[in-house]
Amino acid sequence: MVRPSGLLTRQEEPVPLKSICVTLSVREFVAGVAATLNYENEEKFPLETFFVFPMDEDSAVYSFEAMVDGKTIKAELKDKKKAHIIYESAISHRHQAFLLEEDKCSRDVFCCNVGNLQPGSKVALTLKYVQELPLEADGALRYVLPAVLNPRYRCSGSPEDSCLDLKTPIVPLDDLPYSFSMTATVSSQHGIETIQSNCPLSPIEYLGDKKTSAQISLADGHKFDRDVELLIYYREVHTPSVAVELGNPKNNPDGLMKDPSAMVCFYPNIPEVEPSAICGEFVFLMDCSGSMQCPISKQDKSQLRIEAAKETLILLLKSLPVNCYFNIYAFGSSFEAFFPNSVKYTQDTMEEALRRVKLMRADLGGTEILTPLQVIYREPSIPGHPLQLFVFTDGEVTDTFSIIKEVRNHRLRHRCFSFGIGEGASTSLIKGIARVGGGTSEFITGKDRMQAKALRALKHALQPAVEDVSVNWDLPRGLSAKTLSPEQTVLYKGQRLIVYAQLTGTMPPEEGTGEVCLNYTLQGKSCENKVTFSLQPKLDDNFTIHRLAAKAFLQSMDIGFGETPAKTKKDVLKVSIDCGVISSHTAFIAINKDVNKPVQGPLACRDIPRPVLLGAAAQMPQCKRVVFGETYLVQLISLQNADGSWDLDEDLARILGISLKDLWSALPVKDADSSSWATVLAVVWLHAKAKHQKCEWELLEKKARTWINSNAGSIKKKLVKAAIAFTKSSVDPAVFGI
């Protein structure tokens, strides 16, 4: 079940919401957002309400204000406990008050109390935040405006006053009583190639000779029934850059806001190298809770989450390197391990895992990740095989901070790669465990294929470790840089690296420049990336770089309400309050001091219904797009042996569309090994019939070619030419190294 967020009463009943208006400004890879929610109390009674909404984990929320009957009331950021005391005191004296805070259970959900909303009053709640936009594998920058807030599974020990499991009435989409609009401006000095969205857009208006900016708006009639996603493609995206922003010493005599801040963007040119002989231990933790029976998205014919997960596990199993170790855990309210301990990757263990994958169902109840994680970490390490953990979940949990802490505690012995499945997956959980676990995070929504993103992560896991990572500054005398970002220990090919720093000292004259260098070693070889930049700070009234720098610091130090150590909490509070960026220990508080007399009358509450969204239980059967096991690609991959080869049998013949008798007759070398012939035919089929899905089978195909090189010997060239001619394909023999 999913619901839109909204202004809700303490009794879990929504207040009439009239409209949601969002203004987005994207400059290069940074987004600035202002979201306004317009409400009106049309009743004869005053109201106390609270507003619940999802927010991306990386968002730096720096402003919150309420406009009540034409008057703007700007909130102040204070210690959360003090803010609560101020709010409760105001409410008890029947004054208008506003409180905004992160939820106690998760950093990607916010709660806003609105106290004593008078009869006939109109209130507009506006919050502002800035955010780095993640870079997709195809070069797109991805912006998501979260709309879906899934109910989170409550584990024992979770805070009782969390707003994550609230329920609201449901109505058909056409009866939804509020409107939604979004306008956006996108700009880049490199020019815009194209912009795509999962929602209908009005015609995009490009400006400038090189399309350096664009105006975007959602088409009329859009309902806020799904996450709004924009994919922005620039003509040039992998350009290293440094931006320096002027500080605010007048209002901030000390602290981070006083001095200029720098944001450095690296695109490390990590060379291609062969994987090392160390293979690794690969553990796959797969969500099999009831919510995995929902479609990945609300688009027609979207694949069910559990079916996509099963296909993905098959691809991962077939793509694992020979001689590695592996295990699979299915979890929900309970968990099941495929093997008592991680086992060596052989034909027998792979076949047993494949058999159990096909039997997997979304039938294990709720979502409890912590216990299986603890079991995995208690297992002894396998010498020479570092642990690589892959977590797949729709992220509907309330013990987010406990899970992140568990992964963080074991960060030195493994890498953690995480995947958020479907709209509403917790960005706090998915990004959090990958960040502290030295891996990468991916989100699978809309038309995304889980298979492709999982295989990309496996490629990262198979990369040799990049070591001795450091960032060094060469600045004029009298000027120094203090890095604010967490220490970077892991780099992956194709990834962007952003570093924030505070510049202290004397800034040079106008022509002054500085240099920053990223250094690292790869398989004993030293590498570096240098960027030279101007030392003239630019003025930004929103202090975007300072806010993002503060957010980067807070993400590394603030590990959640109730989890952050006391000695660290002091630094978290100072940076949060100095920079105006909310944390788990601070809250925005505002009191309407101009109301001459207290609000009169008992408090009342009203509902704002949510829409019936595609994916409700009654609609599930018609949502299935690809039934597990039905695609020829999945079937072909299922037949591959652990060593990378295929057998020449009826199953392979059926997929190739050729009788087994004809396949034997076409064998070009008498008495040749039939597996060599079968494997060459399978590889030719992959290149001819499934080229558009190469990112999903690339690793297993490489394993197949390695097997061919070792087993076909001198007849490889004859087999390849014969297979291409026999299947009448146009595959280039060069893919076999010929």
Side-chain angles (χ1 to χ4, degrees):
M1 184 179 72
V2 294
R3 68 165 183 280
S5 49
L7 195 59
L8 309 172
T9 68
R10 283 192 183 278
Q11 292 75 26
E12 304 179 8
E13 297 186 15
V15 168
L17 169 62
K18 301 303 180 184
S19 64
I20 302 172
C21 304
V22 175
T23 302
L24 167 68
S25 176
V26 177
R27 294 183 180 179
E28 304 300 349
F29 55 85
V30 174
V33 183
T36 300
L37 296 99
N38 297 293
Y39 298 88
E40 182 177 357
N41 182 3
E42 298 175 326
E43 305 297 328
K44 299 178 180 179
F45 308 96
L47 302 166
E48 181 182 15
T49 65
F50 66 93
F51 162 49
V52 180
F53 58 97
M55 178 75 67
D56 191 286
E57 212 267 346
D58 289 334
S59 302
V61 180
Y62 67 89
S63 174
F64 177 70
E65 62 185 32
M67 180 172 284
V68 182
D69 300 327
K71 175 181 171 52
T72 300
I73 306 168
K74 190 168 180 61
E76 296 180 66
L77 192 62
K78 293 183 176 294
D79 180 290
K80 182 177 286 188
K81 291 181 179 179
K82 293 179 181 178
H84 274 268
I85 292 172
I86 295 171
Y87 176 82
E88 295 297 339
S89 175
I91 294 302
S92 66
H93 289 89
R94 309 304 299 272
H95 294 300
Q96 285 186 336
F98 307 87
L99 179 74
L100 177 70
E101 60 184 329
E102 285 183 3
D103 185 77
K104 288 186 177 181
C105 292
S106 190
R107 195 174 273 129
D108 62 346
V109 178
F110 280 68
C111 303
C112 172
N113 292 42
V114 178
N116 291 322
L117 184 61
Q118 299 186 69
S121 288
K122 294 182 180 180
V123 57
L125 305 176
T126 300
L127 59 119
K128 297 179 181 179
Y129 64 91
V130 289
Q131 175 190 356
E132 301 167 5
L133 297 186
L135 183 66
E136 298 288 289
D138 63 355
L141 292 169
R142 183 172 183 259
Y143 170 75
V144 176
L145 179 67
V148 176
L149 183 56
N150 292 332
R152 309 288 173 90
Y153 179 78
R154 180 175 292 284
C155 304
S156 59
S158 299
E160 291 298 322
D161 54 350
S162 170
C163 61
L164 290 172
D165 54 351
L166 298 172
K167 298 177 176 63
T168 56
I170 60 174
V171 298
L173 277 175
D174 291 341
D175 296 336
L176 203 63
Y178 52 85
S179 63
F180 173 75
S181 63
M182 185 182 83
T183 58
T185 301
V186 178
S187 59
S188 171
Q189 62 178 338
H190 303 295
I192 302 166
E193 191 70 40
T194 186
I195 298 172
Q196 301 174 3
S197 178
N198 66 329
C199 300
L201 300 176
S202 298
I204 300 174
E205 182 182 356
Y206 292 99
L207 305 174
D209 295 337
K210 297 182 179 180
K211 293 171 62 175
T212 53
S213 67
Q215 302 287 337
I216 307 165
S217 62
L218 288 177
D220 293 339
H222 176 83
K223 297 288 187 181
F224 207 15
D225 64 330
R226 69 184 70 178
D227 292 346
V228 178
E229 178 180 278
L230 294 178
L231 293 175
I232 303 167
Y233 295 84
Y234 294 142
R235 288 178 176 163
E236 190 175 342
V237 71
H238 296 96
T239 304
S241 62
V242 180
V244 182
E245 181 179 272
L246 203 61
N248 188 17
K250 183 177 179 181
N251 297 328
N252 298 271
D254 61 358
L256 193 152
M257 295 293 288
K258 172 188 174 184
D259 299 303
S261 286
M263 178 171 65
V264 185
C265 181
F266 286 112
Y267 295 89
N269 186 22
I270 300 175
E272 287 278 4
V273 294
E274 285 298 316
S276 60
I278 298 177
C279 291
E281 176 190 7
F282 299 88
V283 175
F284 305 103
L285 186 56
M286 181 62 70
D287 192 341
C288 288
S289 61
S291 53
M292 287 289 289
Q293 187 63 22
C294 295
I296 286 179
S297 79
K298 290 174 284 295
Q299 298 182 11
D300 290 342
K301 299 181 181 179
S302 179
Q303 191 174 21
L304 298 185
R305 299 174 186 179
I306 190 64
E307 300 299 339
K310 289 158 73 170
E311 284 190 13
T312 300
L313 279 176
I314 288 180
L315 282 169
L316 289 168
L317 281 171
K318 299 295 184 175
S319 302
L320 290 177
V322 178
N323 296 323
C324 73
Y325 287 77
F326 78 100
N327 205 350
I328 298 173
Y329 289 74
F331 72 91
S333 300
S334 58
F335 71 92
E336 302 168 354
F338 280 24
F339 304 99
N341 309 99
S342 290
V343 294
K344 194 165 186 178
Y345 181 68
T346 65
Q347 185 65 24
D348 289 341
T349 57
M350 185 200 71
E351 287 182 354
E352 172 61 16
L354 190 62
R355 181 187 70 81
R356 296 197 61 173
V357 166
K358 292 179 178 179
L359 296 175
M360 286 175 69
R361 300 289 182 268
D363 59 1
L364 292 183
T367 310
E368 295 193 23
I369 304 177
L370 185 58
T371 300
L373 266 180
Q374 292 169 334
V375 170
I376 291 168
Y377 291 141
R378 280 200 296 266
E379 292 294 323
S381 299
I382 301 174
H385 294 270
L387 176 62
Q388 312 274 15
L389 177 63
F390 291 71
V391 180
F392 297 84
T393 179
D394 53 19
E396 299 176 5
V397 300
T398 54
D399 55 345
T400 300
F401 295 135
S402 298
I403 296 168
I404 293 173
K405 184 178 180 181
E406 185 71 19
V407 175
R408 184 190 184 109
N409 289 342
H410 295 87
R411 64 188 182 278
L412 298 180
R413 62 164 291 200
H414 84 305
R415 288 190 286 185
C416 179
F417 300 87
S418 59
F419 304 85
I421 305 169
E423 292 181 344
S426 169
T427 59
S428 183
L429 173 68
I430 303 303
K431 291 184 177 182
I433 60 176
R435 184 175 61 250
V436 301
T440 59
S441 61
E442 298 278 4
F443 290 87
I444 298 99
T445 60
K447 296 180 180 178
D448 292 340
R449 283 182 59 79
M450 187 189 309
Q451 298 86 332
K453 294 195 171 186
L455 266 294
R456 182 161 69 243
L458 180 58
K459 290 176 187 176
H460 287 152
L462 292 172
Q463 283 183 12
V466 173
E467 300 173 323
D468 303 324
V469 181
S470 64
V471 175
N472 301 291
W473 299 79
D474 184 4
L475 301 172
R477 184 184 298 273
L479 188 65
S480 61
K482 176 185 177 182
T483 302
L484 300 170
S485 306
E487 182 182 359
Q488 193 72 26
T489 58
V490 180
L491 293 175
Y492 296 105
K493 185 174 179 63
Q495 263 196 324
R496 179 185 63 196
L497 173 63
I498 296 176
V499 178
Y500 295 98
Q502 182 181 20
L503 302 181
T504 58
T506 305
M507 298 299 289
E510 290 186 8
E511 64 274 7
T513 61
E515 184 178 83
V516 59
C517 183
L518 172 67
N519 300 95
Y520 56 93
T521 60
L522 180 64
Q523 293 186 330
K525 181 181 178 181
S526 297
C527 304
E528 66 176 22
N529 293 150
K530 290 183 179 180
V531 184
T532 301
F533 61 97
S534 168
L535 281 169
Q536 293 307 303
K538 302 292 177 62
L539 176 64
D540 181 349
D541 292 337
N542 293 325
F543 296 99
T544 299
I545 294 177
H546 284 77
R547 314 281 195 198
L548 291 173
K551 181 66 177 181
F553 174 85
L554 293 172
Q555 281 184 319
S556 64
M557 304 299 287
D558 180 12
I559 58 176
F561 185 83
E563 298 285 354
T564 305
K567 61 181 180 180
T568 306
K569 181 180 174 181
K570 182 178 180 181
D571 293 335
V572 168
L573 279 170
K574 178 171 174 53
V575 170
S576 177
I577 293 173
D578 283 353
C579 299
V581 175
I582 203 168
S583 70
S584 68
H585 299 282
T586 51
F588 282 104
I589 177 69
I591 308 297
N592 189 354
K593 300 176 182 178
D594 290 347
V595 176
N596 295 324
K597 60 181 180 179
V599 176
Q600 303 297 317
L603 298 181
C605 50
R606 294 292 180 266
D607 291 339
I608 291 180
R610 68 177 178 86
V612 177
L613 302 180
L614 189 61
Q619 294 173 288
M620 280 183 190
Q622 67 191 53
C623 296
K624 194 175 294 186
R625 177 169 63 92
V626 179
V627 179
F628 173 75
E630 286 190 352
T631 66
Y632 283 134
L633 176 60
V634 173
Q635 290 182 41
L636 179 68
I637 290 171
S638 298
L639 296 176
Q640 189 184 32
N641 297 316
D643 60 7
S645 67
W646 273 267
D647 296 325
L648 192 62
D649 56 21
E650 290 286 359
D651 290 330
L652 179 63
R654 178 172 45 81
I655 294 168
L656 297 178
I658 304 170
S659 71
L660 182 59
K661 180 181 178 181
D662 288 345
L663 288 176
W664 275 105
S665 299
L667 186 61
V669 180
K670 188 177 181 181
D671 298 328
D673 177 23
S674 62
S675 291
S676 296
W677 177 232
T679 305
V680 170
L681 286 168
V683 172
V684 169
W685 188 96
L686 288 171
H687 284 274
K689 303 294 186 180
K691 190 174 183 179
H692 63 290
Q693 291 175 257
K694 183 178 180 181
C695 57
E696 298 180 18
W697 51 255
E698 190 173 6
L699 288 176
L700 63 88
E701 183 264 359
K702 183 177 181 181
K703 189 162 65 169
R705 286 189 288 106
T706 300
W707 185 91
I708 291 169
N709 290 336
S710 299
N711 292 271
S714 60
I715 65 170
K716 182 180 80 168
K717 189 173 182 179
K718 286 186 178 180
L719 291 174
V720 170
K721 288 187 175 182
I724 293 173
F726 179 62
T727 58
K728 298 179 181 179
S729 71
S730 57
V731 175
D732 188 346
V735 302
F736 291 88
I738 296 175

